[in-house]
Amino acid sequence: PIGIIMYTAIGGLKATFMSSYIHTVYIYVVLCMFSIMVYATSPDLGSPGKVWENLKALAAVTPVPNNYGGEYLTMLSRGG
C-alpha cells in the first residue's frame, strides 16, 4: 500500500484511476482463473455441461417452489 499511496500522491487523480483500473483487472483475472479451475478441473463438476446436468438432476429430486418446472436454472420464477 505504501507504493500505491506514493504513486497516487505524486500522480494525482490520473494515478488514482489507473491504480483502480489495475486492481479491477487483477480481480477479474483471478475470478476467471478460479472459475476455469472449478469448471474444468474439478472431478465432481468437470465442465459447464456436467454442472447443468447436476442441477437438472437436483431439480428432479428437490424442486424449487414457485420456479417454472421447479428448475434451478430458469428465468420464469414468481419470486423474482
Side-chain angles (χ1 to χ4, degrees), residues 22-48:
I22 290 169
H23 289 121
T24 303
V25 167
Y26 176 74
I27 289 170
Y28 277 120
V29 167
V30 169
L31 284 174
C32 287
M33 287 174 44
F34 177 74
S35 298
I36 290 170
M37 221 169 50
V38 167
Y39 278 114
T41 62
S42 171
D44 296 328
L45 302 177
S47 69

Side-chain angles (χ1 to χ4, degrees), residues 2 8-9 17 22 29 37 40-41 55-56 61 67 71 78:
I2 217 68
T8 305
F17 287 120
I22 290 169
V29 167
M37 221 169 50
T41 62
L55 287 172
K56 293 289 275 184
V61 176
N67 274 10
E71 297 286 332
R78 256 187 255 155

Side-chain angles (χ1 to χ4, degrees), residues 64-77:
V64 178
N66 296 327
N67 274 10
Y68 180 75
E71 297 286 332
Y72 285 91
L73 301 172
T74 182
M75 294 289 188
L76 300 172
S77 61

Side-chain angles (χ1 to χ4, degrees), residues 1-26:
I2 217 68
I4 291 172
I5 292 171
M6 301 257 311
Y7 182 70
T8 305
I10 294 170
L13 190 58
K14 180 181 174 185
T16 302
F17 287 120
M18 286 183 63
S19 64
S20 293
Y21 175 77
I22 290 169
H23 289 121
T24 303
V25 167
Y26 176 74

